[in-house]
Amino acid sequence: MDYRKIKDQDIDVEAAAKDDVEESYPFVPSASSSIGEPKIDINRIKPQWKRKSLVTFALTILTSSQAILIVWSKRAGKYDYSVTTANFLVETLKCAISIIALASAWRTEGVTEQNKLTASLKEVIVYPIPAALYLFKNLLQYYIFAYVDAPGYQILKNLNIITTGVLYRIILKKKLSEIQWAAFVLLTAGCTTAQLNSNSDHVLQTPVQGWVMAIVMALLSGFAGVYTEAIIKKRPSQNINVQNFWLYVFGMGFNAVAILVQDFDAVVNKGFFHGYSFITFLMIFNHALSGIAVSMVMKYADNIVKVYSTSVAMLLTAVVSVFLFGFHLSLAFFLGTIVVSVSIYLHSAGKMQR
């Protein structure tokens, strides 16, 4: 795919942001108002505020509980279930949700060129690459917990902001503002500060293996995200659920191959759902719904909501881990979390100035 051509098809973010602002602050003319002085329509603001609050709450809970549920699903430090089958079920659930959303669109709009599932080989062939990248990233997400705890994972996963920004600059030739580059430096400093360990001979709580896996996950997530956005922007009028459907179908296929390669004997001898618990199923639903929640944020809220949700989720994960896993909430972790939160905010503010 020619990424430079795709760059010319970028959506006007500033115009979209302006529309969001106008939609968020509706005004109606009033006879008692002076000319040019609009009156706020309270009846429209209240439902929008409730919707934004609900979406923010849902994203915060899903984000903070993601790492907790993965760690909680382990027994005696290992997974009793097959992580490849869990990943397969996540992709299957996402695919089912996309089909349900499309079925709703078909009932209201009918089958159109934008929401039909049939596609040519040229249109579909672009999806295996991001699906494969997400496969490896999601599998690493389980194994990284051998080296890092849930709060540390929430901190380190923000490294994907750096990789995504750099890949945007390299692949899509998007210019980054000075504030965004400064945010990258702060983010790196915050992640390092949060991992400082004064009670051990090791300077950092997370060993080198954990940092390497976190960086690899960030690279995989960043490249998959950039590639997926390039696909979406190539056909901006196409229903997002159609694009998600094909992405998840290939995700199911790759995860099925992973089951055959890695866990075939265990699945045949012990069963597909061997070792599953209530927490395991909760984790699967959490992973599937997290992607839906992010889509809802983009549609019904804004990037600031995502920033605040991520920041609160880091602290919430740490607090819950204190009670569930005996996590020690150190001053270094608290300060590092604040620095990471500030860097995420600056990165978002840099986008608005760009």
Side-chain angles (χ1 to χ4, degrees):
M1 179 183 293
D2 191 341
Y3 291 100
R4 297 189 179 183
K5 290 182 179 178
I6 295 171
K7 180 189 71 171
D8 297 333
Q9 301 174 11
D10 282 349
I11 299 172
D12 190 343
V13 178
E14 293 181 0
K18 182 179 179 182
D19 291 340
D20 288 341
V21 171
E22 291 174 351
E23 191 175 309
S24 300
Y25 298 89
F27 297 99
V28 294
S30 174
S32 60
S33 302
S34 301
I35 297 175
E37 293 184 4
K39 181 179 178 182
I40 299 175
D41 187 354
I42 302 297
N43 293 328
R44 287 185 60 191
I45 288 180
K46 284 184 178 179
Q48 290 173 0
W49 174 252
K50 289 181 180 179
R51 186 168 56 187
K52 281 190 177 184
S53 300
L54 180 62
V55 169
T56 304
F57 177 78
L59 183 61
T60 303
I61 296 300
L62 288 169
T63 303
S64 59
S65 59
Q66 195 170 71
I68 292 172
L69 288 172
I70 293 177
V71 175
W72 206 358
S73 68
K74 297 170 75 173
R75 294 290 182 271
K78 65 177 183 178
Y79 302 106
D80 289 340
Y81 59 91
S82 164
V83 296
T84 54
T85 60
N87 261 346
F88 178 82
L89 290 177
V90 170
E91 296 300 314
T92 303
L93 183 57
K94 287 179 180 179
C95 190
I97 293 173
S98 297
I99 292 176
I100 292 172
L102 280 172
S104 176
W106 294 334
R107 284 196 299 270
T108 57
E109 306 169 9
V111 179
T112 65
E113 189 68 25
Q114 286 72 36
N115 64 25
K116 67 176 184 179
L117 280 180
T118 55
S120 65
L121 179 62
K122 184 179 179 181
E123 294 172 331
V124 173
I125 202 65
V126 297
Y127 292 101
I129 294 178
L133 292 171
Y134 281 125
L135 166 68
F136 292 113
K137 179 260 181 183
N138 290 334
L139 288 177
L140 279 176
Q141 184 175 237
Y142 291 95
Y143 297 118
I144 194 175
F145 286 103
Y147 307 101
V148 66
D149 50 31
Y153 170 77
Q154 288 286 27
I155 290 286
L156 293 176
K157 71 182 290 188
N158 289 301
L159 290 173
N160 67 2
I161 296 176
I162 299 177
T163 57
T164 302
V166 173
L167 289 170
Y168 261 105
R169 183 71 182 91
I170 296 173
I171 298 177
L172 296 182
K173 304 299 180 184
K174 285 192 174 182
K175 185 179 180 180
L176 300 175
S177 68
E178 293 180 359
I179 292 180
Q180 287 180 295
W181 285 112
F184 292 161
V185 175
L186 268 182
L187 182 60
T188 305
C191 290
T192 306
T193 302
Q195 293 297 310
L196 291 177
N197 187 4
S198 59
N199 300 321
S200 173
D201 295 334
H202 300 285
V203 177
L204 300 177
Q205 292 181 6
T206 302
V208 175
Q209 298 96 316
W211 279 91
V212 170
M213 293 180 74
I215 293 171
V216 172
M217 284 179 59
L219 286 170
L220 291 172
S221 178
F223 188 77
V226 172
Y227 194 100
T228 303
E229 182 174 339
I231 294 173
I232 292 173
K233 288 183 176 179
K234 188 177 182 181
R235 297 191 65 187
S237 61
Q238 189 176 41
N239 190 305
I240 186 65
N241 289 300
V242 174
Q243 296 165 324
N244 284 342
F245 169 81
W246 286 111
L247 181 63
Y248 299 148
V249 164
F250 281 103
M252 290 169 59
F254 285 131
N255 277 282
V257 173
I259 293 173
L260 294 175
V261 173
Q262 183 173 325
D263 296 314
F264 178 76
D265 291 337
V267 170
V268 170
N269 296 327
K270 299 179 181 179
F272 190 91
F273 295 102
H274 174 74
Y276 275 59
S277 64
F278 176 71
I279 300 298
T280 309
F281 285 107
L282 272 183
M283 179 197 68
I284 291 170
F285 277 103
N286 174 280
H287 277 63
L289 294 178
S290 292
I292 306 299
V294 171
S295 300
M296 291 179 67
V297 165
M298 296 305 175
K299 183 174 182 180
Y300 296 119
D302 47 46
N303 285 327
I304 298 299
V305 168
K306 189 177 179 182
V307 168
Y308 289 139
S309 296
T310 303
S311 302
V312 174
M314 287 188 292
L315 288 173
L316 189 59
T317 300
V319 172
V320 174
S321 296
V322 170
F323 298 99
L324 290 181
F325 312 121
F327 173 72
H328 175 63
L329 189 59
S330 65
L331 178 61
F333 183 88
F334 181 73
L335 293 176
T337 302
I338 292 176
V339 173
V340 169
S341 300
V342 171
S343 70
I344 295 173
Y345 173 78
L346 287 176
H347 183 267
S348 179
K351 280 185 178 180
M352 296 178 184
Q353 289 189 6
R354 193 172 58 197

